[in-house]
Amino acid sequence: AGYLDRDRPAYRYRAAASRRGENVMSIMNPKLTVREFDECPEGLHQAVCVDVVDKGTKEMYGEVAKPFIQFVYEVDIDGKRYEVRPREMNNTASAKGNLMKHMCQWRGKQMTEEELAATELEKLIGVNCQLQIVHAPRDNGGVFCNIQAIVPPPKGVIKIQPSEKYVRVQDRPTRNGNGHTAPASVPDDDEVPF
């Protein structure tokens, strides 16, 4: 941590090998980092929330670890679905938090901290909205597909449903320490959820 490029061991090795006249390959091939899937086109599109992902707790800027979440939306354009994810946001009901801004835009009116704290985010799965998508260039030649705004769906429009292709993150097989998928846990039929 805190290395300058010239102090990194790999840099020193490549520099010494270069001085000896050896041909040394680059560590990273930028062509391999280009994303190979279709990006959602720019514009205002109808969408549906398909997941609310618990991203765990993260320590930011030396502060106390805070819980983070990420919404996942499916945008429907002429029958073709695109998966769109905004940035992760702190799961807090604070009036200054990004979650509050996101929810107020989606709802189309202000919320109080108490209303947001009482909102069960899982119930937003299947709720429609409109997303304003803009593209920003990546360094590697691809594009970031950014959500610039989220607004309520227009009145009188047929609501779209989540596609069956998307599997919620919590329902996917978990990966164990060596990268292989572990079998999903079997629910206990005798357990009553309430």
Side-chain angles (χ1 to χ4, degrees), residues 16-108:
S18 178
R19 284 192 299 272
R20 291 191 303 267
E22 297 174 11
N23 187 6
V24 180
M25 286 182 58
S26 170
I27 290 178
M28 184 176 137
N29 181 352
K31 292 179 185 173
L32 297 177
T33 61
V34 176
R35 294 164 60 160
E36 297 293 332
F37 57 87
D38 294 337
E39 295 286 352
C40 181
E42 290 183 299
L44 184 64
H45 307 293
Q46 186 174 359
V48 61
C49 180
V50 294
D51 205 354
V52 180
V53 182
D54 179 3
K55 301 301 273 188
T57 57
K58 297 182 182 185
E59 190 175 313
M60 303 292 288
Y61 310 111
E63 296 178 2
V64 176
K66 298 177 181 177
F68 279 77
I69 60 165
Q70 184 178 46
F71 291 98
V72 181
Y73 300 96
E74 276 187 342
V75 173
D76 183 68
I77 302 173
D78 299 327
K80 185 171 181 180
R81 295 289 179 115
Y82 299 90
E83 184 180 308
V84 180
R85 297 170 180 252
R87 290 192 170 115
E88 296 175 7
M89 51 190 89
N90 189 352
N91 189 7
T92 179
S94 169
K96 295 180 181 179
N98 287 331
L99 179 59
M100 176 67 87
K101 293 173 193 168
H102 191 82
M103 295 297 291
C104 289
Q105 286 181 355
W106 190 352
R107 187 176 178 195

Side-chain angles (χ1 to χ4, degrees), residues 83-139:
E83 184 180 308
V84 180
R85 297 170 180 252
R87 290 192 170 115
E88 296 175 7
M89 51 190 89
N90 189 352
N91 189 7
T92 179
S94 169
K96 295 180 181 179
N98 287 331
L99 179 59
M100 176 67 87
K101 293 173 193 168
H102 191 82
M103 295 297 291
C104 289
Q105 286 181 355
W106 190 352
R107 187 176 178 195
K109 58 184 177 179
Q110 288 296 331
M111 294 179 81
T112 64
E113 290 181 359
E114 292 78 23
E115 288 175 318
L116 182 56
T119 302
E120 292 183 41
L121 298 178
E122 293 281 322
K123 289 187 176 180
L124 296 174
I125 296 171
V127 176
N128 279 228
C129 62
Q130 291 184 94
L131 299 176
Q132 177 69 43
I133 305 294
V134 294
H135 289 172
R138 289 177 174 262
D139 293 339

Side-chain angles (χ1 to χ4, degrees), residues 150-170:
I150 179 172
V151 294
K155 296 190 185 306
V157 172
I158 297 172
K159 298 195 182 312
I160 59 175
Q161 299 299 319
S163 71
E164 294 182 12
K165 284 186 351 183
Y166 183 81
V167 177
R168 293 193 60 203
V169 171
Q170 72 179 24

